[in-house]
Amino acid sequence: MPYYDVSIPLKLKILTYYDERDEDLTGYAVKVPLKNRLCYGIVIEKRKEKPEEVESIKKIEKVLGWIYSKNFIDFLRWMSFYYICELGSIVRLTFFDELIAFLEGKTGKPRGSKHSKNRLIEKIAVNEQTLATILEAFKIRDYRAFLLHTPNVSYEKSLFLHIAEMVSFMEGQVLFILPEIREVESLYHSIVDRIGDKAVMLHSEMRTSEKLKSIERLMKENIKVIVGTRFALFTPTKNLSLIALSQESSWLYKAEEAPRYHTRESAIMRGFIEKCPVVLCDTMPSVSSFWNSTKGKFEYIDDFNRYPHPEILILKQPLSSIFHPEALLNLKLNKKEGVIIVSPRTGFSLLRCSECGEVIKCQGCGGSMLFHKEKNFTECKRCNSTEKTPEFCPTCGGAELHYVGTGTERLLEELKKTISDSDVILKDYSIDDEQIEGISITTSAKLKKSSVHIFKTAVFVDFDFFLSLPDYRALENAFSKVLSLCHLIRNDGNITIQTRNPENEFFRYLKSYDFKGFYHYELKHRRETLFPPFVRLIKIVLKTNKKNTTEKLDEIKNLIKEKTKADLIGPLGNRDESKFSYILRSQNKKELTEAVNNCIKWLRKMRGIEIVVEVDPANLKQ
DNA sequence: AGCACGCCGACT
DNA sequence: GTCGGCGTGCTC
C-alpha cells in the first residue's frame, strides 16, 4: 500500500495518509480527514512503509491536482529547517488557499477600475553590459547570484522594465520583488503598459478575490512576469527563470510575523534549489551581501558610478548653535533652489539635567523622553507614552534642564529666527511635493531610497544619533540613510553632515563614497566582535503563563545551553514577567540551526510554555 | 454531585 | 485551525 506524507497548512507536523493509487503524488493538493473534519493539504513525499509509531492511517479523501514541483517543495523544506518552524507554516505562505480555490473551480475577480494615480515609471538607459549578463543567465536558467550595485532606485526599476520587455518573447518567467506596495503597483502598471497582459501582481493589500485572479491567471495563461512584495517570493511557478530584488537591504524584507523569514536569504535559496539566477539590487548593498560577494558567492556588478552623485561635506557640529556657519551659508545661498534639512527626530529636543548630566528617561522603559516645546509635554517613542514636562530632574532633583539634540520643531524655530526673509517658504517635506523652493524640514525616517532628486542642497543635523544606536548594523544603516538623502539631491548639489566627531573613520569612507573601504572596515569590526555575517544569531522567545519557578527557568536555560553548545546571551527581559528571551550565537552556523531544531522538539514537550524562534533576528533586545 | 467554561494538546 | 478532554469553580 502506498503511503503519502502530507503537509497541512497549519501549525501541525507532517501526517501520513494512504491511497490505493500507486503513483507518485508528490506536489499534489489533496483533501484529507483530520480528526472529524476534512482539510486540504499537499503531498510532500511518497513512502513505502507507514510510520511505526502510528497504528491507524486514514485514506486520502480526494486528489485535486498537481500544484508544486519537487524543487519547490525542497525549497519549502529548507525554509522550514532554516527558520525552525513547521512545514505547514511555510505552506501557508504559498497562496495555498487560492490554489485550492482554483482547483475547486472558483474564479477570482480582477481589481476594479480604480485607476491608481500612480505615475508610470520612466525608462532610463541602463548599462547594456549588465542587462546582457542578466539575460544570458536568464536564458541558461541555472543558479547564479548577482549583487548589482545601482546608482539609484529608478535605475533598478528601469532595469526591471528592460528585462520585462526582453523576456516577454522568451521562454521562462521572472519574479520581481520590491519592498513597498506602491512601488509594486507602479512597476506592475508600467510593465503592463509595455508588454500587455503577460504580468500578474501579488501584494498583501490585494483582496482575496484579486489574489485568486492572479493565481488563476498564473496557472492558466502564459504569464511572463510576476511583480510583488516579499510574500510573492512564495508564488509557485511553472517555469521560474529569474528572481530580482530591488533594494535588497530594505528592512521591509524581514517578515515581522512568524515565520520570520528574510526575503533576501530566502530568494537566494529558492534560486539555488530551483536552479535559477537571482539578482540583488541596491544602492547601498547590505554588509551581508557584500561579504558574500567577496567570498565569491555573489558576482558583484558595479553600476553605482555610472551617474554622478552629490558632494558630501562633513562639518563639526558646533556646541553653541544648531548650524555650522558653513552649513548656514550654504543654506542661505541655495534656499531659492530648494534646501532640505534632516533631523533624526521629530519634536524639539531631548532634555538633560545641567547638574547630574542625566538625560530625562521614560519611567516605564528607560528610553529617552522627547520634548515637545509648543505643546509642552514629553513623549517616549519606544513605549508610546506621554508625560507632563518635568520641572526637576527625576534623578537628582536638579532644577535646570537644558535642550540636547535637535528635532524638527527646534529646526523650525531656529530657521524662523535665522532666516528672516519673508519670501522663504518653510515647510514639512512630503514625498508627493511638487514644489521644492524654500526650505523643507523632515525626519530621517521619511527618507526613502525610492524618492527622486529634487533639492539643490541638504543639511543633516545631529547625525551622531545614527552612530550611537545600540545595534550592530548602526553604521551600515547610517551610510544607507545618507544615500537615501542623496536621491533627493540633484547631482550637482551637495549634502552637509554635521557631527561632533568629524574625525571618525566612518566619515572618511562616506564622503568619498568609498563603499569597499567602508565594508572592509565594518567587516573587520564585526569579525572582532562576533556579529553576523561571521556568526549566526537565533533568538528564542519564551512565554509562560504560570509563575514558573526559577529552577524551572534555569532548567530551560541549561537545556538550551546543553543541546546547542552555543554562546547563550540572556535571559533578556524581566524574569518575573511572562515573556523573556535568549539569544544564541555560533560560528558553526549550520550546526547551530540543527541543534536549535533539535532543542525546540524538547522544549515543546514542556508544559505551559510557548516558544517563538527567530532566526537572524532583526532586533537583539527583549 | 452536576454542569459551565476555559485552557491545552493532538490531529496520521 | 478546531475539537475534545480535563481541571477548576460555581450552583443546585
Side-chain angles (χ1 to χ4, degrees), chain A residues 468-531:
Chain A
S468 62
L469 290 173
D471 184 318
Y472 70 92
R473 290 149 301 192
L475 290 190
E476 70 172 307
N477 291 337
F479 208 122
S480 186
K481 278 282 168 222
V482 177
L483 284 171
S484 301
L485 183 55
C486 271
H487 296 161
L488 287 175
I489 308 303
R490 286 163 28 193
N491 295 337
D492 62 344
N494 62 47
I495 294 174
T496 301
I497 290 171
Q498 295 193 165
T499 166
R500 272 167 270 139
N501 232 337
E503 311 78 37
N504 190 327
E505 201 172 343
F506 171 80
F507 293 111
R508 216 174 67 209
Y509 303 118
L510 182 64
K511 76 179 168 198
S512 53
Y513 294 99
D514 179 4
F515 293 94
K516 288 196 177 154
F518 168 71
Y519 288 127
H520 285 122
Y521 165 72
E522 177 65 9
L523 281 165
K524 181 169 170 274
H525 189 251
R526 299 245 187 125
R527 190 197 296 273
E528 283 163 2
T529 51
L530 288 178
F531 274 107

Side-chain angles (χ1 to χ4, degrees), chain A residues 347-399:
Chain A
F348 193 83
S349 68
L350 307 181
L351 294 173
R352 197 205 312 251
C353 172
S354 304
E355 269 175 54
C356 69
E358 282 291 315
V359 170
I360 307 295
K361 295 275 166 63
C362 169
Q363 302 294 315
C365 74
S368 300
M369 293 302 271
L370 179 65
F371 172 55
H372 294 260
K373 193 179 181 191
E374 198 171 307
K375 294 189 177 150
N376 194 23
F377 69 101
T378 61
E379 178 193 14
C380 174
K381 286 276 180 187
R382 209 197 285 175
C383 63
N384 255 335
S385 63
T386 57
E387 294 285 335
K388 279 195 299 186
T389 309
E391 284 177 46
F392 304 101
C393 168
T395 314
C396 74

